[in-house]
Amino acid sequence: MLDLLVDHGLVERVAVGDGQSRFERSEAGGEHHHHLLCEQCGKLVAFDDPALERAIDDLSERLGVRVEHHDVVLRGACEQCE
Ligand SMILES: [Zn+2]
Ligand SMILES: [Zn+2]
Protein backbone atom coordinates (compact mmCIF):
# COMPACT_ATOMS: atom_id res chain seq x y z
CA MET A 1 0.00 0.00 0.00
CA LEU A 2 2.69 2.46 1.00
CA ASP A 3 4.78 1.39 -1.98
CA LEU A 4 1.89 2.35 -4.23
CA LEU A 5 1.73 5.78 -2.62
CA VAL A 6 5.49 6.16 -3.02
CA ASP A 7 5.18 5.26 -6.71
CA HIS A 8 2.60 7.97 -7.14
CA GLY A 9 4.72 10.52 -5.34
CA LEU A 10 2.18 10.97 -2.56
CA VAL A 11 4.48 9.62 0.08
CA GLU A 12 8.22 9.84 0.29
CA ARG A 13 10.30 6.96 1.59
CA VAL A 14 13.15 8.09 3.79
CA ALA A 15 15.85 5.50 4.49
CA VAL A 16 16.93 5.99 8.08
CA GLY A 17 19.52 3.21 8.29
CA ASP A 18 19.51 -0.36 9.59
CA GLY A 19 17.33 -1.25 6.62
CA GLN A 20 14.57 0.85 8.12
CA SER A 21 12.51 3.41 6.26
CA ARG A 22 10.12 6.04 7.38
CA PHE A 23 7.35 7.47 5.31
CA GLU A 24 6.50 11.08 4.99
CA ARG A 25 3.63 12.73 3.19
CA SER A 26 5.02 14.65 0.22
CA GLU A 27 4.10 18.27 -0.16
CA ALA A 28 2.37 19.16 -3.39
CA GLY A 29 5.15 19.98 -5.81
CA GLY A 30 7.56 18.05 -3.61
CA GLU A 31 10.44 20.43 -2.99
CA HIS A 32 13.77 18.70 -2.65
CA HIS A 33 14.82 18.49 0.95
CA HIS A 34 16.76 16.51 3.47
CA HIS A 35 15.98 15.11 6.88
CA LEU A 36 17.01 15.21 10.46
CA LEU A 37 16.11 12.14 12.46
CA CYS A 38 15.94 12.25 16.23
CA GLU A 39 17.22 8.92 17.47
CA GLN A 40 15.55 9.41 20.85
CA CYS A 41 11.94 10.06 19.87
CA GLY A 42 12.05 9.16 16.18
CA LYS A 43 10.93 12.59 15.03
CA LEU A 44 11.72 13.30 11.38
CA VAL A 45 12.26 16.93 10.43
CA ALA A 46 12.66 18.17 6.86
CA PHE A 47 15.12 20.90 5.97
CA ASP A 48 16.81 22.27 2.91
CA ASP A 49 20.23 23.81 2.60
CA PRO A 50 21.44 25.42 -0.65
CA ALA A 51 25.05 25.27 0.56
CA LEU A 52 24.74 21.51 0.97
CA GLU A 53 23.32 21.21 -2.56
CA ARG A 54 26.27 23.18 -3.91
CA ALA A 55 28.70 21.04 -1.94
CA ILE A 56 27.19 17.90 -3.48
CA ASP A 57 27.44 19.45 -6.97
CA ASP A 58 31.08 20.30 -6.39
CA LEU A 59 31.72 16.82 -5.08
CA SER A 60 30.13 15.16 -8.09
CA GLU A 61 32.39 17.24 -10.35
CA ARG A 62 35.47 16.46 -8.33
CA LEU A 63 34.71 12.73 -8.22
CA GLY A 64 33.71 12.66 -11.88
CA VAL A 65 30.37 11.11 -11.05
CA ARG A 66 27.08 12.40 -12.35
CA VAL A 67 24.97 12.39 -9.22
CA GLU A 68 21.36 11.85 -10.23
CA HIS A 69 19.83 11.58 -6.79
CA HIS A 70 20.99 11.97 -3.28
CA ASP A 71 19.50 11.79 0.12
CA VAL A 72 20.92 12.98 3.36
CA VAL A 73 19.72 12.00 6.81
CA LEU A 74 21.32 13.66 9.80
CA ARG A 75 20.88 11.71 13.01
CA GLY A 76 20.99 12.98 16.54
CA ALA A 77 18.78 14.31 19.29
CA CYS A 78 16.14 16.97 18.72
CA GLU A 79 15.65 20.03 20.92
CA GLN A 80 13.15 18.21 23.11
CA CYS A 81 15.44 15.24 23.64
CA GLU A 82 18.73 17.00 24.14
ZN1 LIG B 1 13.40 13.86 19.88
ZN1 LIG C 1 19.74 17.69 -1.64
Side-chain angles (χ1 to χ4, degrees):
M1 181 55 188
L2 275 170
D3 283 329
L4 200 67
L5 294 174
V6 170
D7 285 347
H8 288 78
L10 299 174
V11 170
E12 181 185 7
R13 184 198 301 273
V14 182
V16 292
D18 298 330
Q20 305 260 65
S21 344
R22 296 280 301 274
F23 292 91
E24 183 188 62
R25 187 180 301 274
S26 300
E27 300 298 322
E31 288 295 302
H32 174 75
H33 60 268
H34 297 169
H35 297 94
L36 294 157
L37 176 71
C38 174
E39 291 182 314
Q40 313 290 317
C41 68
K43 187 163 75 182
L44 194 62
V45 179
F47 71 97
D48 57 37
D49 187 328
L52 185 54
E53 300 306 316
R54 274 199 302 280
I56 290 167
D57 281 351
D58 290 351
L59 197 59
S60 76
E61 214 161 287
R62 182 156 65 83
L63 298 176
V65 172
R66 189 156 59 95
V67 176
E68 303 270 11
H69 308 285
H70 65 261
D71 49 70
V72 175
V73 180
L74 305 180
R75 294 180 186 77
C78 73
E79 280 177 336
Q80 276 82 50
C81 295
E82 244 174 355

